[in-house]
Every structure is written in structure tokens, then in C-alpha cells.
Amino acid sequence: MIRAYWGFRTALAWTLAFVSFLAFAATNTNYLNPGNIYALIQTFAVLALVATGLALVMIAGEFDLSIAGVVPLSALVAVKVGETSGVGVGVIAALLAALAVGLVNGWLTATFAIPSLAVTVGTLVLTTGIGFAIAGSAVVTLTDFGPGFALDQPILGVLSLRAILQVALAVAVAVLMTWTWLGISTHAVGSDPARASASGVSVPRALLVLFAISGLFAGVAGSLQGVSLASGSAGPNEAILLQSVTAAIIGGVSVAGGKGNIWGVLGGAMLLAVVSNGLSLQGTSSAVVQLINGAILLGVVILDGPLTCVIQGALETSRTVPEPSSTARITEREALP
Amino acid sequence: MTIAPSQAQQPSRRSVETSKAVRRLLGEGASVIRIVTVALFVIACFAIRNFATVSNLRALFLSVALVGIAAVGLSLITIVGRLFSLSISAIIATSTIVFASQLDSGPWVALLAAVVFGLVVGAIQGFLVGRLSTDPIVTTIAAAAIIFGAAQILTGGRNVVGDRDASVFGSSLFGIVPAQVFVFFLVTALVWWLHRYTTVGRALSLVGLNEKAALVSGLRSWPPVLLAFAVSGALAGLAGGLLGSESGQGNLQLGATFGFDAITAVVVGGISVKGGQGSPLDAAVGAVFVGLLGNALILVGLSYEVQLMVKGALVLIAVVIAGATNQQASFRGKGNR
């Protein structure tokens, strides 16, 4: 029944995304241009990847604020190192840095039984500080635009190498979550760590892996974006944190942990990408888009609880209708003396 | 079947009592921080030239005052068990704009307007988190986005310049103590007294410590939560108003780091992130410690960027120490997450 409910949330997220897409397409003639669809998919890819990483950590009952620092930091590292040693080395350096941050988060949370919120606040401030130490308040640029162009070259008119890579990673994790130990352990750790540990799931190892994935994905998104824009700057990117949390919660991930579905998160990411793309195409300022993002998150968070109650109640009612069965009648007859 | 411990294995009574006393002293992160702060202050007076001058001490406390006010407010949210509020920076920045825009009615009226603005915004978040039981982190992230977005739309991102002179808040009492520092001391003393010696303060701690026990004892959890968020918002508004009075202007870039500085102060001050323990005084001491360390580092010659990294590392260290010495840190349970 739980699976039926969370399947419902996934379906809801994708339905809302599809409906908004149709709404924007109907009201704006330019919406269906290949150029705009390309921009939409670019936005979706970045958000899908980062939101997937965050959702993994949330399903395990934790939270990762540090992605707001890791995404800009990896862009910065990729560009700064790439300027001197080549883009390939730059990206690898950025990924290593992001992975290190994720491992620190996971290790501290697991080993010392500290709420991950406190740990990730620390790593967020730390990564922001490292960013400023590397670049100061200047914008670092990459003189070689070649790799950036290669990453963003339109394939089939609407896709790009960067988008395909990011979406592939997110889908890979979704598949792993549905069909391998990763999904079972993550849900177990998020639902009840004590019981999970007693059943043989290594909670510290699971947390380490999940935070590492979250950090790594934030690093991939950030470094690819840095190479694509050929620039990077220090300072936290709170917008990506806000959008990732929104995408995760829309997709049915519960902040308390134990529930959630990456396919739903992808649906939430698509919904947000469609909305922000449609709004900016209409000329809405980024401030209004941010406001709407915040309002959507607030709305989703308020509605989450009651929605869960309503759906579970409906599912329970549909199951308690008694089914007349022949076996029952036979047993009754046999019971008569 | 019981196994009696042999006499030879029992340690002497006195060493057991001493080690218990030492562990209890070290176990309270708050007392450790107070000792370390005083020790650092004394060491700095002797070891660092120019530290113990009136002008340096004045600058030190001035830099700490506003963050300290925000931290004291934030500590109430942590004590009531709702982790942190991530909207402090947004409230402070918008309060500078509220202050500057109301300045033509007089500096005191403008300050009151900023406080009331913070109070209302905080109370709304407190209602959502307390009454509707939404997740505090996600709610405050959403609120910050909405506040920033709304403020951006209303001001167009421009600087709001106040009409009158607000330098009354820049004056000094007795010629030495700056007005902002005096306000910081006053607010700390007031909130500490309210937390320690009133039933309202006690209710705050009980709800954070064990919400189910509070409920069973007849204490509803949402009034203390609402109060904590409202007071935190009001104090953030106060800090923002004072910040705006420094230049008589308000814009959205002001106070950007105050939110995370306040969280750093609360965590470093030894207040447990799990709630129910600690006092607002600890947050004030934490703020002083972080400012002290920063001041000492600058006098020794380290750059501002290094300070940021040190702050992040401090949060991690403080959180780890709190987690490692917490005797009640049983297995990572769900508890009242």
C-alpha cells in the first residue's frame, strides 16, 4: 500500500509537470521552439542531478545543506585548475573536492551520531570559505571556450552532451534505487536505523555512500556548469538548494526519511524546470521566479501532510470492502454441527 | 545467573568520582566554551600586540554585537527543538530596507518598524512550523526565498536611502560602550532571564527536550514554538534595523553572512542541536568566541578568507565535540526528529 501511495506521488509530480508544460505551450507561441526546449532540458538536467543526490540523503533521514556550497565551489575549482592544467584535470580536481566534502559529511554524521544539519551547515560555511580563499571576490574565467562549446553543442536540436550525462546519472541512480540493495538500505536507514542495523544493514557505511553520492553529484553539476559558462565565482548558491528540496518534496520524498522515489524527484525537477523556463520566457524577472519557487515549496510542504492522510485513507477504504469468497461459505457450512 | 565482580576489578571510589566530575564538566559543551573563551581572551591580551587596546576591544565587540543579537534569538528556536531558522539573513536584509524606508518618521519609529516586521515574519513561520508541523528547515528556506523575492520586487534591487539622520544608534554610552554593544548586552540579559526564570522559558526547554512528555503533561507544543520563532524574528529585525542605522541605508546585500554566523555562534556556544538544553547566554558566548577568534586571527595577520574557513571548521569541531561527549548519545534513533 505504501508503494501504491508513493507511486501515486510520482504520477502526480509527472502529471503536474505535463499539465504545466501544456499550459505554457498553449499561452506562448515561442514555448515549443527547439531553442526553448533545449534551454528547458538544460535546466532540467542540472536540477535533476542535484535533486537526486539530495533526495538520496533525505530518504535516509538526513539533510545536506552543503550542496549550496559544493556546486559553486566545484565550478570555481574546475575553472581555476582548468585554466592552468587543462579542463580535464580541472573537472577531476573539482570532482575530488566535491567527493571529499561528501565523505566528510557522511563520516561525521555516522561516526559521531550528530544531526546532519549541524554537520552540513559547517561544511557549507567551510566550502564557501574555501571558495573565497581561492578566488577572493573576483570572477575566475576560462580562456578556452572549446570544451564548454563541446558540452553544450545541441544534439538532435534539443539535447546536449552535458544534459545527457547528467540525466543519465540521475536515471542510473533511480534504477539502482528501485532494483538493488541501495534502495533497500536507504529506505531501511531512513525508516528505523536501529532496526536496520539489527537486520544487518551497515548504517555508517550507507550514510557514507549516500553523502558521497550527494556531494559527487553536486560536484558534477557544478563543474560542468563552470566549464560550460567558462567562469566561476565564490559564494553560496542557495537557489539550487531551494529548487532541489522543492523537487524532492514534490516528488514524494519525506523530510523525516524512509519514504520517497527518485522517479518522483525527477518529476518534481521537470515541473520546476518547466515553470521557471516558462516564466522567464514570458519575461518574468528572476526575483519573481525565486518568489514563486519559494511559494511552491511552502505550498508543497503545507499540503504534504494532509495529502498523505487523504491518499492513505482512500487506499485503506478501497481495501476494506469485504470480498465474498466461496471458501468462506464452505467453511461456515462445515462448521455447522 | 548473576556474576559478582571481583573485588580486585573495582576502581577506588575517589578516582571514580573525580572522573565523573571531569566528564560532567567536559560533557557540558557550554561550560567548555566559556572556559575556552576566557582563556583565549587572556592569552590574546598577553600574546598579541594591540589586542588589549580600547579601540580594538571596541571594534571587536561592535563586530560581535549584531550577530550576537541574532544568535540569541536563534538559540530559542534551537532550544525548542526546531533546529535552525535559515531565514535570518533574509529578515535582517529586509529589515534594513524597512528601517531605511521608515527613517523619515524618526530613527526610533524606524527601528520599531523593523522589529515589528521581523516579529510578524517570524510569527508566520512559527505558526507553520508549530501549528501545522511543517519541517523547520524547509519552511525557513522557503520563507527566505519568498522574503527575498518580495523585497527584490518592491525595491527593484536598489539601495533604499533613509531621509533622516540615524546616527543616534552609533553613539556611545559613557563615551566608551557603543550603543549596539549595550543593546546586545541588554537583549542577552533579558532573554536569558526570561528563559531561566519564567514558566514560558521553562516550557520552551521542556518542549525541546521531550515533546511527548510535555504533551502528556498538558503543555501544547505550538505556543512555545510560535513564541520562539516570533522572538527570533523580532531580534533579527532589531539587528537589521541597527545595521541599517549604521549607514542610514538599506539594501538586500547587507547582513548576508549574519544567518550562518548566528548558527555558528549557537552551535559553537554548546547548545545541543537536538534541543531542550542550553540557554541564550551560551549563544551570546559563542558569538563572542567566534568574534574573538576572528579578531585574534586578523591581528596575527591572517586574511579574511581564512577566517571564513576557520569559522566552518569551528562549527564542525564544536559539533563533533558535542556529539562525542554527549553521554546520552545512544544509537542514532528517530526520536523527535
Side-chain angles (χ1 to χ4, degrees):
Chain A
M1 185 190 74
I2 300 290
R3 210 175 287 163
Y5 167 73
W6 295 108
F8 176 82
R9 285 295 292 265
T10 307
L12 184 65
W14 280 102
T15 310
L16 284 174
F18 190 60
V19 165
S20 343
F21 183 81
L22 289 179
F24 279 115
T27 54
N28 194 325
T29 47
N30 292 328
Y31 195 75
L32 290 173
N33 273 350
N36 189 52
I37 303 290
Y38 171 81
L40 171 65
I41 293 183
Q42 294 285 80
T43 316
F44 166 67
V46 173
L47 188 55
L49 188 62
V50 180
T52 301
L54 180 62
L56 283 179
V57 167
M58 282 172 74
I59 295 176
E62 304 289 346
F63 205 83
D64 189 359
L65 282 172
S66 64
I67 55 174
V70 172
V71 169
L73 180 66
S74 14
L76 192 60
V77 170
V79 168
K80 188 95 190 201
V81 173
E83 183 67 359
T84 50
S85 320
V87 169
V89 175
V91 170
I92 291 178
L95 291 181
L96 284 176
L99 184 64
V101 173
L103 286 174
V104 165
N105 282 333
W107 183 72
L108 286 178
T109 306
T111 317
F112 295 104
I114 309 167
S116 58
L117 213 49
V119 173
T120 53
V121 161
T123 41
L124 173 58
V125 177
L126 193 63
T127 49
T128 311
I130 294 175
F132 276 112
I134 295 177
S137 30
V139 173
V140 195
T141 52
L142 201 56
T143 45
D144 180 12
F145 292 161
F149 282 145
L151 279 175
D152 284 340
Q153 186 80 353
I155 302 173
L156 301 175
V158 291
L159 298 170
S160 73
L161 188 61
R162 185 161 70 103
I164 293 176
L165 200 64
Q166 291 173 328
V167 173
L169 275 174
V171 168
V173 165
V175 166
L176 283 176
M177 281 293 280
T178 318
W179 281 299
T180 67
W181 71 272
L182 184 70
I184 299 175
S185 325
T186 313
H187 280 87
V189 167
S191 310
D192 196 331
R195 286 209 180 97
S197 179
S199 310
V201 174
S202 164
V203 173
R205 199 182 69 163
L207 285 178
L208 203 66
V209 168
L210 293 169
F211 273 101
I213 295 178
S214 170
L216 192 63
F217 279 9
V220 168
S223 55
L224 289 183
Q225 195 164 54
V227 171
S228 152
L229 293 172
S231 74
S233 64
N237 183 349
E238 272 125 18
I240 192 84
L241 177 65
L242 172 69
Q243 289 181 320
S244 303
V245 169
T246 312
I249 297 184
I250 290 178
V253 174
S254 162
V255 188
K259 302 171 189 162
N261 192 320
I262 301 294
W263 302 110
V265 175
L266 294 178
M270 180 57 91
L271 172 63
L272 284 181
V274 164
V275 168
S276 64
N277 177 273
L279 286 176
S280 47
L281 189 66
Q282 286 176 344
T284 325
S285 66
S286 58
V288 177
V289 174
Q290 186 188 32
L291 186 79
I292 292 180
N293 266 332
I296 292 178
L297 180 58
L298 208 58
V300 170
V301 155
I302 294 175
L303 290 174
D304 200 48
L307 188 63
T308 311
C309 290
V310 166
I311 305 303
Q312 277 184 345
L315 284 172
E316 268 173 32
T317 324
S318 68
R319 294 266 171 112
T320 52
V321 174
E323 292 175 351
S325 71
S326 49
T327 43
R329 261 174 273 155
I330 292 170
T331 333
E332 270 188 66
R333 240 182 276 139
E334 281 178 356
L336 289 173
Chain B
M1 187 171 78
T2 53
I3 302 170
S6 71
Q7 287 291 84
Q9 285 169 349
Q10 278 180 347
S12 73
R13 219 143 177 260
R14 192 170 317 157
S15 68
V16 167
E17 277 174 4
T18 333
S19 72
K20 261 195 209 162
V22 169
R23 219 174 332 135
R24 197 174 352 122
L25 192 66
L26 283 180
E28 288 178 21
S31 41
V32 173
I33 282 297
R34 286 178 206 172
I35 296 171
V36 171
T37 308
V38 172
L40 185 60
F41 191 85
V42 169
I43 293 173
C45 281
F46 289 116
I48 304 178
R49 248 184 320 142
N50 302 330
F51 180 80
T53 59
V54 171
S55 62
N56 184 55
L57 289 178
R58 228 173 149 264
L60 165 65
F61 277 100
L62 208 53
S63 72
V64 166
L66 295 182
V67 172
I69 293 174
V72 166
L74 183 64
S75 71
L76 292 180
I77 295 180
T78 313
I79 292 173
V80 89
R82 294 306 188 266
L83 295 164
F84 305 123
S85 165
L86 293 177
S87 57
I88 302 266
S89 288
I91 298 178
I92 290 180
T94 319
S95 301
T96 63
I97 295 175
V98 169
F99 178 84
S101 64
Q102 299 302 310
L103 197 50
D104 47 355
S105 316
W108 290 98
V109 174
L111 191 65
L112 188 67
V115 170
V116 168
F117 166 74
L119 183 82
V120 168
V121 170
I124 294 175
Q125 293 174 60
F127 176 76
L128 291 172
V129 174
R131 197 83 171 88
L132 302 183
S133 302
T134 57
D135 183 70
I137 296 300
V138 175
T139 310
T140 51
I141 288 179
I146 294 176
I147 295 169
F148 258 130
Q152 184 94 320
I153 294 169
L154 287 171
T155 64
R158 291 187 304 260
N159 212 6
V160 177
V161 180
D163 286 341
R164 293 249 289 261
D165 181 30
S167 59
V168 62
F169 296 128
S171 57
S172 304
L173 256 66
F174 316 121
I176 314 175
V177 180
Q180 291 182 359
V181 176
F182 180 70
V183 171
F184 169 47
F185 288 155
L186 195 65
V187 162
T188 305
L190 194 66
V191 176
W192 169 80
W193 186 87
L194 284 172
H195 172 256
R196 176 93 187 253
Y197 291 109
T198 61
T199 28
V200 173
R202 290 270 168 166
L204 222 65
S205 283
L206 179 57
V207 168
L209 191 59
N210 193 334
E211 199 164 324
K212 289 205 172 88
L215 217 63
V216 162
S217 311
L219 179 66
R220 290 170 305 180
S221 67
W222 68 265
V225 171
L226 185 79
L227 182 71
F229 271 92
V231 171
S232 166
L235 288 179
L238 177 66
L242 289 174
L243 183 62
S245 77
E246 280 176 15
S247 54
Q249 299 175 356
N251 65 63
L252 285 176
Q253 276 76 42
L254 288 174
T257 60
F258 279 31
F260 289 115
D261 285 346
I263 293 178
T264 307
V266 166
V267 172
V268 167
I271 298 180
S272 167
V273 176
K274 295 175 188 157
Q277 176 226 65
S279 100
L281 183 62
D282 301 337
V285 171
V288 169
F289 175 69
V290 174
L292 188 60
L293 196 62
N295 186 273
L297 288 177
I298 288 228
L299 285 178
V300 166
L302 289 170
S303 69
Y304 169 69
E305 285 88 25
V306 176
Q307 257 197 66
L308 273 177
M309 290 200 290
V310 167
K311 273 188 198 164
L314 261 183
V315 173
L316 291 179
I317 293 172
V319 148
V320 165
I321 292 179
T325 54
N326 188 359
Q327 285 124 322
Q328 291 144 329
S330 57
F331 196 83
R332 272 182 69 249
K334 289 281 280 188
N336 44 347
R337 208 199 299 244

